[in-house]
Amino acid sequence: MHSELPAVPGTARMPEHRVVISERGSFCHATCTCGWYSPARRSRDLTRREADDHLAAEADPG
């Protein structure tokens, strides 16, 4: 679990999301600094779309 102290006491600061796509053999998967990860896929394009969807969902708080 990721933990960060707030920059200013009394405020919360969420860690920035950084996604990395890794390959192992013919499979690839995405992992994020927040702890999210995608299942292993043979399709690199699908893995990239899932990572983009994750980042978009985290950027839109509403």
Side-chain angles (χ1 to χ4, degrees), residues 1-58:
M1 178 160 189
H2 184 81
S3 176
E4 265 188 32
L5 294 175
V8 177
T11 63
R13 184 174 154 223
M14 293 297 294
E16 186 175 327
H17 290 263
R18 295 175 194 249
V19 175
V20 175
I21 297 176
S22 304
E23 296 185 16
R24 186 174 299 169
S26 59
F27 290 91
C28 60
H29 67 279
T31 56
C32 182
T33 55
C34 73
W36 172 88
Y37 60 93
S38 72
R41 307 271 189 202
R42 286 185 184 264
S43 171
R44 290 180 183 92
D45 289 337
L46 179 55
T47 301
R48 287 187 197 108
R49 282 193 304 257
E50 290 173 339
D52 288 342
D53 290 345
H54 168 70
L55 292 174
E58 295 302 321

